[in-house]
Amino acid sequence: MKKFASYLIPSLVATVLMSMYAMIDGIFIGQKIGDAGLAAINIVWPITAFLQSIGSALGLSAGILIQKKLAIEEYRKASQIKLTVILLGIGLAIFFGLIFYFIRVPLLHALGTTDASFSYALAYLKMILIGGIFQILGMMLIPLMKNSGKVKLAAAASLASMATNLILDYIMIYVLNMELMGAALASVLAQVVGAMVCLIAYFKELKGINFTKEMLLDIFRTSLAPFILAYSYSIVIMITNIACTHFGGDEAVAAYTLLSYIAYILMSVSCAVGDSIQPLFSYQEARKEFKENRKMLKLCMGISLGMVLIFDVLLVILRRQLGYLYNLSDTAYSYYVSGLYYYLAGGIFLSLLKVISSYLYAIDSKLFANILVLVEPFVVVPLVLTIFSVSIQLTGIWLSYLIGQVILLAIAGTLLYLQEKKHFKMQLV
């Protein structure tokens, strides 16, 4: 239990703090610009999240591969993974940053910008792409640090990043009057601070590179599921933004911006519980300690559910203050209130779903993990969003989130049952 807590608590703090980046930007932009600025941030978010998800997936992938190599005493290969994955992340940041830059105008139109929000979104996107390397490194180094036993330092790096973002947001947006470009620059510089804190502490562990085909394929295969897991909600945001633009314009997108922040916080709490214990899940799976993993899974699910319920209560109490904090217009505020309880209820189902997803990924159940993460953005969300938004428009968009989480948890429970049957048969052999 002590080892469990040593992984969980710092990881939970670090992940929740990292999830608050966009929320901080939203507060300042809402106060300074209003609905159009909030809409612009949410429309650009899927692009920002794409880069951050690459970093997060590479970091989690490297952590699991390192644990597997350590379990079979391949210490040299375990050490080589660390620098290899960092260099790979830098290369991917440059590659995707250039692609997004060259298609930035049609991309933003496709994502749902209006005439009022386009210029804000374009300014924000340009700065995010300039700092793309640190978007990836900032998210990658946190799980790598935790995997090396430096969980408290990883939490400190996250706290330093958030404090930097908070201070620079005020300076860039209010003092220098840089609006959304300033918000993006503050986010990038905050990631730089977090990355530097991690790199300074992690530098001595970066020994050797292994760019063999086998190593790269291992990293790619292991990082695919966590990338989709990390990015799946951003695909949901992308689809929902387009629907909100159609049914309610910038006011609806602004309301959804706050609702998506709330959902993201709840998801981050749930993911933090599962992700923080992934190295232990992986290690015990490699040693065929299935009973210990089942106990740990139940404990993680209980903790995740309890944490989300606490957040739900707080968000109900603070619902009016949040609307004022983000300076929503009267129309946007009414949209936000009408959707809030659907999102809070959906978070209850989400709390169990994300822990199961992390568990399946950590024990290398690739088929089940990939099914679970792919079905949400590409099957369940488009289907329920289409059905309910067409029939009851904006209220249908909010309701579709809750229905989607119920369906996804049912799928996750079925996959978990099938996985446990596999474990039971392995124990009989």
Side-chain angles (χ1 to χ4, degrees):
M1 179 59 70
K2 186 176 181 180
K3 189 175 183 180
F4 180 93
S6 70
Y7 274 87
L8 175 62
I9 296 173
S11 176
L12 186 64
V13 172
T15 305
V16 171
L17 290 177
M18 291 295 287
S19 72
M20 293 178 70
Y21 269 96
M23 294 192 72
I24 293 171
D25 285 347
I27 293 170
F28 285 100
I29 291 300
Q31 291 292 331
K32 183 72 174 180
I33 300 173
D35 292 345
L38 286 172
I41 285 183
N42 218 39
I43 286 167
V44 174
W45 173 249
I47 303 171
T48 307
F50 183 85
L51 298 174
Q52 292 186 357
S53 297
I54 289 175
S56 177
L58 288 175
L60 288 169
S61 169
I64 287 175
L65 289 175
I66 288 168
Q67 288 298 320
K68 287 183 178 180
K69 298 301 181 185
L70 292 176
I72 58 177
E73 300 182 354
E74 291 185 356
Y75 301 113
R76 183 169 174 272
K77 288 186 177 181
S79 179
Q80 289 175 336
I81 292 171
K82 299 173 183 179
L83 183 55
T84 301
V85 77
I86 288 175
L87 294 176
L88 181 60
I90 293 172
L92 290 173
I94 295 170
F95 176 74
F96 284 111
L98 290 172
I99 288 177
F100 287 137
Y101 183 80
F102 284 118
I103 64 170
R104 61 192 183 281
V105 174
L107 180 60
L108 288 176
H109 285 305
L111 291 175
T113 52
T114 63
D115 291 340
S117 61
F118 176 78
S119 61
Y120 295 124
L122 184 61
Y124 191 83
L125 176 60
K126 284 181 180 178
M127 188 57 65
I128 289 296
L129 295 180
I130 289 172
I133 288 175
F134 291 100
Q135 294 288 339
I136 287 181
L137 284 181
M139 297 301 293
M140 179 196 302
L141 288 165
I142 296 298
L144 280 176
M145 291 284 289
K146 289 186 289 188
N147 187 263
S148 296
K150 297 180 174 66
V151 287
K152 292 181 180 178
L153 191 56
S158 298
L159 183 59
S161 295
M162 193 183 78
T164 302
N165 195 29
L166 180 63
I167 295 168
L168 291 181
D169 262 336
Y170 176 78
I171 294 172
M172 301 291 181
I173 297 172
Y174 280 93
V175 178
L176 300 180
N177 202 32
M178 294 177 67
E179 297 187 331
L180 260 74
M181 182 177 287
L185 180 57
S187 294
V188 169
L189 292 176
Q191 293 282 17
V192 171
V193 170
M196 290 300 103
V197 171
C198 291
L199 281 174
I200 290 170
Y202 200 57
F203 188 76
K204 292 181 180 179
E205 297 190 31
L206 303 180
K207 300 175 181 178
I209 305 171
N210 187 353
F211 272 114
T212 62
K213 181 180 178 181
E214 178 188 7
M215 177 64 74
L216 293 176
L217 283 175
D218 277 346
I219 292 172
F220 174 77
R221 283 194 295 260
T222 314
S223 62
L224 182 60
F227 169 78
I228 299 172
L229 180 62
Y231 192 63
S232 61
Y233 185 62
S234 297
I235 298 174
V236 172
I237 288 177
M238 191 187 313
I239 297 170
T240 310
N241 276 336
I242 295 170
C244 285
T245 300
H246 179 74
F247 288 109
D250 283 339
E251 291 84 2
V253 179
Y256 176 60
T257 300
L258 183 48
L259 292 173
S260 67
Y261 288 163
I262 289 170
Y264 190 61
I265 284 288
L266 298 180
M267 182 180 69
S268 296
V269 170
S270 303
C271 287
V273 174
D275 291 349
S276 64
I277 314 301
Q278 277 190 342
L280 290 178
F281 278 141
S282 301
Y283 184 80
Q284 290 176 174
E285 178 73 14
R287 295 171 63 88
K288 300 188 185 302
E289 297 174 354
F290 305 131
K291 182 181 287 187
E292 286 75 9
N293 263 355
R294 280 195 293 272
K295 290 179 181 178
M296 194 182 301
L297 175 62
K298 290 178 182 178
L299 181 58
C300 285
M301 291 173 70
I303 292 172
S304 179
L305 177 60
M307 291 292 296
V308 166
L309 287 173
I310 291 171
F311 271 88
D312 273 3
V313 172
L314 288 173
L315 289 165
V316 169
I317 295 171
L318 299 173
R319 62 190 183 280
R320 186 178 298 275
Q321 288 82 354
L322 281 173
Y324 292 149
L325 187 63
Y326 283 86
N327 195 29
L328 296 177
S329 66
D330 291 342
T331 301
Y333 180 79
S334 67
Y335 291 156
Y336 150 70
V337 172
S338 69
L340 178 62
Y341 294 100
Y342 294 114
Y343 274 76
L344 296 182
I348 295 171
F349 299 93
L350 179 77
S351 67
L352 305 177
L353 167 66
K354 292 304 180 183
V355 173
I356 294 173
S357 298
S358 295
Y359 170 73
L360 292 174
Y361 164 66
I363 65 172
D364 208 23
S365 180
K366 289 188 176 69
L367 177 61
F368 288 168
N370 287 335
I371 288 173
L372 194 53
V373 297
L374 286 170
V375 76
E376 178 180 12
F378 299 114
V379 179
V380 173
V381 170
L383 183 62
V384 296
L385 190 59
T386 300
I387 292 172
F388 289 99
S389 65
V390 169
S391 58
I392 45 180
Q393 299 187 353
L394 202 58
T395 301
I397 294 175
W398 312 146
L399 177 60
S400 69
Y401 176 78
L402 171 58
I403 300 299
Q405 298 307 313
V406 174
I407 294 171
L408 289 166
L409 182 59
I411 296 171
T414 302
L415 295 176
L416 180 61
Y417 172 75
L418 294 174
Q419 180 61 47
E420 290 306 301
K421 284 185 67 175
K422 287 185 179 182
H423 281 161
F424 181 73
K425 290 179 181 179
M426 291 170 67
Q427 286 177 313
L428 294 178
V429 175

